[in-house]
Amino acid sequence: MERAEIEKKVKEVVSRILGVDESIITPESRFVEDLGAESVQSLELVAAFEEAFDIEMEEQAALEVKTVGKAVDFISKYLK
Amino acid sequence: MKLLIFENDQWINLTPLSYTRPVFELRCGMYTLLERIMAAVKTRDITLFVRDYLVNLAKKNYPFFVNSFKGDDDVLIVDGRYLVEEDFRTDKEAVYMCEDEVVYAFVKKENAVKIENRSICEIVDFVKTLPPIKIDAKMMKYPWNLVHYNAEMLKKDFSKSKKIGISGNFSPHAVIHGSDSDVYIAEGAEVHPYVVIDTNSGPVYIDSKAKIFPFSRIEGPCYIGKETQIMPGASIREGNTIGPVCRVGGEVEESIFQGYSNKYHDGFIGHAYIGEFVNLGALTTNSDLKNDYSPVSVYVNGKVVCSGDLKVGSFIGDHTKTSIGTLFNTGTSVGVMCNITAGGVLPKFFPSFVWYVNNKFMKGFGLEMMLQTARAAMERRKRILTKEEEEVIRKVYEITADLRKSYISRSLKMKS
């Protein structure tokens, strides 16, 4: 899967789970500070990424990812 | 005479409570199953047989032999799920059976040598060759059996204990409604003003250093464990065993708390068994009766079993936490170290270590963080998570992985 395609899907998931407009989500957006993610929502994000990309991520490492761009990098590793 | 107490592969039917402890550590009445067996047999030459991953923990917790038997004397061999009510018969060599299960066996020294250094399966196979005698025995096969017999055992235990009267601090503004001879308040226990102890339906035993705060009502039969606190305004209805160092408020009926757990606030828990270091958020409530008054079914290790009982509450594994307002359905089984948040009608089964958030099963923050939380929770009650306890939790995480994964994966495939 191309990086652009991954990024598009990540944004869709983030928008759906956090209830924010896709247009304000950039690779630099921080989940907590910029997009308002609560700790419970970060769990949902991990679960939703796993579902969307059909992957299984290492939960602690996944929860350390702080921005949308880093999430794209992190997910890309599982898709190689 | 030697005493050998064992658990066999039936331990799985007592999960989630038995995931982190041998079956004989479960409570019914004022005592654990092990304490009952030991009280009935006056020997300290004891061997325990437990499943492999509990061996180190058992060795640390008991000054007994574990999973290794030396056959140099007569031996009484007892299934750890047996709820002992009467003396063991040791007048002749025999195996005492109930519904095709070995309850206990008495083996003479001459034969004891034949089971030396054998596995528990081999030992049980051997005792099955002895002359069988059928008996009626209460075997704790499922978690709800412990709850079912709790009130009855509390009455019997109080009567056998011969403890009566007030050794602790009983406020002149607290009252005993019913017979004074059905109350024991141990030394160091405190019963504060405006507490009502109602013994009309059974005795009340309050163990040392327990504190009963004002405006609470405790109905017998009941046992309040050492250093447990009953929070102001609590309604402790009939048939409860509350183990040591718990904080219990709200309404509790016919339930067992293993110990070190918190149900600080309002909310109803009935016909339930709560493991250790469980924290139930404010207003957490379980149903214990179906609206059609039919027998309650319970998931046991992921499979449905009909309890045959009309009143069955929740069974909650060690270190599980619930959010405010969690509402458990009738006969819910919650695994070890789960994190449950409220959300409509909840499922009846939660595999160990899941997080249940917004009506979905999830992996949560992972085992390491859960262990960190467990350490913090235990420190608050002056306990440390030992290396052996941690080993057990890691093993339970491993053996419950498939079940957990299947629930998480199915949950994620469902539409939000």
Side-chain angles (χ1 to χ4, degrees):
Chain A
M1 194 182 277
E2 294 296 318
R3 187 181 168 82
E5 202 182 337
I6 297 170
E7 186 175 315
K8 183 171 177 290
K9 221 168 176 178
V10 165
K11 284 181 178 174
E12 279 169 15
V13 168
V14 171
S15 167
R16 176 165 55 86
I17 299 296
L18 301 185
V20 293
D21 197 295
E22 227 175 293
S23 63
I24 67 158
I25 303 171
T26 68
E28 291 73 35
S29 299
R30 293 170 298 176
F31 290 114
V32 176
E33 293 86 346
D34 303 325
L35 303 175
E38 301 288 343
S39 58
V40 159
Q41 286 175 312
S42 54
L43 286 181
E44 282 190 86
L45 274 175
V46 171
F49 287 143
E50 289 187 336
E51 183 190 15
F53 293 98
D54 197 19
I55 54 175
E56 192 175 338
M57 303 190 288
E58 205 279 296
E59 57 263 40
Q60 264 178 290
L63 289 163
E64 278 162 23
V65 173
K66 303 293 181 209
T67 66
V68 171
K70 293 285 182 200
V72 174
D73 295 341
F74 189 79
I75 290 165
S76 301
K77 281 192 276 182
Y78 286 92
L79 296 173
K80 276 177 185 165
Chain B
M1 184 176 72
K2 286 170 172 262
L3 174 61
L4 186 159
I5 303 159
F6 69 91
E7 57 167 18
N8 55 23
D9 58 4
Q10 297 300 305
W11 69 268
I12 198 79
N13 289 333
L14 284 158
T15 55
L17 309 167
S18 59
Y19 271 130
T20 42
R21 61 179 55 80
V23 294
F24 47 71
E25 282 184 12
L26 294 172
R27 294 182 186 281
C28 187
M30 283 169 49
Y31 307 108
T32 64
L33 300 176
L34 176 65
E35 286 166 343
R36 286 179 188 288
I37 298 168
M38 286 171 59
V41 185
K42 304 291 177 221
T43 177
R44 285 296 167 264
D45 190 341
I46 297 172
T47 302
L48 303 174
F49 271 83
V50 297
R51 75 206 86 127
D52 287 348
Y53 75 83
L54 293 181
V55 168
N56 289 340
L57 186 64
K59 280 182 178 169
K60 185 173 173 69
N61 289 347
Y62 298 102
F64 308 142
F65 297 101
V66 178
N67 285 22
S68 160
F69 175 68
K70 197 162 187 293
D72 54 357
D73 199 353
D74 297 347
V75 58
L76 185 71
I77 298 170
V78 187
D79 187 323
R81 295 171 302 142
Y82 178 33
L83 182 68
V84 179
E85 288 185 279
E86 52 194 48
D87 289 342
F88 290 100
R89 289 170 57 185
T90 55
D91 49 330
K92 59 182 174 186
E93 199 169 51
V95 58
Y96 296 84
M97 309 280 294
C98 180
E99 293 173 6
D100 298 328
E101 276 196 306
V102 173
V103 179
Y104 70 94
F106 177 65
V107 181
K108 300 288 284 178
K109 184 179 173 182
E110 301 74 54
N111 274 329
V113 71
K114 293 181 187 166
I115 53 172
E116 187 164 301
N117 296 326
R118 298 294 180 89
S119 71
I120 194 57
C121 291
E122 291 168 327
I123 292 172
V124 172
D125 281 346
F126 173 80
V127 301
K128 281 180 179 170
T129 65
L130 298 174
I133 296 173
K134 290 211 169 199
I135 56 167
D136 278 331
K138 290 181 175 131
M139 298 296 278
M140 300 298 100
K141 296 180 179 177
Y142 296 103
W144 53 87
N145 298 147
L146 296 150
V147 173
H148 182 96
Y149 290 114
N150 200 47
E152 179 188 334
M153 296 312 290
L154 281 168
K155 288 181 187 172
K156 289 180 178 170
D157 291 343
F158 186 87
S159 164
K160 272 191 188 168
S161 78
K162 311 268 187 238
K163 297 268 182 76
I164 293 172
I166 297 169
S167 300
N169 185 355
F170 192 86
S171 164
H173 300 292
V175 294
I176 296 170
H177 180 52
S179 168
D180 287 6
S181 62
D182 280 335
V183 174
Y184 177 64
I185 315 258
E187 203 176 324
E190 293 176 25
V191 177
H192 288 214
Y194 312 115
V195 168
V196 175
I197 293 181
D198 186 336
T199 60
N200 286 301
S201 303
V204 173
Y205 189 119
I206 298 175
D207 219 330
S208 60
K209 296 185 185 171
K211 283 185 186 170
I212 317 298
F213 287 111
F215 303 106
S216 43
R217 176 176 177 272
I218 298 178
E219 193 179 335
C222 179
Y223 170 77
I224 309 284
K226 290 175 183 170
E227 294 185 51
T228 275
Q229 296 181 10
I230 302 300
M231 307 322 290
S235 175
I236 308 299
R237 305 272 304 281
E238 80 284 357
N240 289 302
T241 290
I242 301 176
V245 201
C246 292
R247 307 280 186 271
V248 177
E251 184 183 5
V252 184
E253 181 189 17
E254 302 239 11
S255 293
I256 302 173
F257 284 65
Q258 184 73 17
Y260 295 89
S261 282
N262 287 346
K263 184 211 169 295
Y264 217 91
H265 306 282
D266 280 352
F268 170 71
I269 289 293
H271 295 83
Y273 196 126
I274 313 294
E276 279 194 351
F277 292 101
V278 171
N279 193 76
L280 302 178
L283 304 179
T284 292
T285 288
N286 78 230
S287 161
D288 61 1
L289 177 67
K290 290 170 67 175
N291 287 354
D292 61 2
Y293 304 98
S294 59
V296 179
S297 292
V298 183
Y299 279 81
V300 177
N301 193 34
K303 294 187 184 110
V304 179
V305 178
C306 180
S307 71
D309 286 349
L310 298 190
K311 282 203 157 190
V312 180
S314 298
F315 306 104
I316 302 184
D318 292 1
H319 294 283
T320 278
K321 321 232 179 279
T322 66
S323 77
I324 52 170
T326 300
L327 301 177
F328 285 124
N329 209 335
T330 326
T332 293
S333 173
V334 188
V336 170
M337 271 194 180
C338 294
N339 240 292
I340 313 293
T341 60
V345 179
L346 295 175
K348 282 189 54 161
F349 180 68
F350 296 86
S352 292
F353 305 95
V354 295
W355 284 47
Y356 189 78
V357 180
N358 287 348
N359 300 310
K360 283 192 169 181
F361 291 99
M362 295 178 192
K363 291 191 290 185
F365 291 138
L367 179 61
E368 299 310 318
M369 213 169 270
M370 290 185 205
L371 286 168
Q372 233 176 67
T373 307
R375 283 186 201 103
M378 292 176 81
E379 258 175 46
R380 285 160 58 93
R381 296 287 177 264
K382 298 183 176 59
R383 284 257 310 258
I384 56 158
L385 181 71
T386 63
K387 180 168 65 73
E388 292 79 8
E389 285 169 332
E390 187 175 326
E391 264 174 36
V392 167
I393 290 171
R394 287 185 186 281
K395 183 67 186 177
V396 176
Y397 188 80
E398 194 184 307
I399 63 179
T400 54
D402 287 347
L403 199 54
R404 182 167 54 255
K405 277 180 190 165
S406 76
Y407 270 72
I408 291 170
S409 143
R410 210 180 316 150
S411 175
L412 292 177
K413 284 183 184 120
M414 284 161 63
K415 291 245 178 278
S416 304

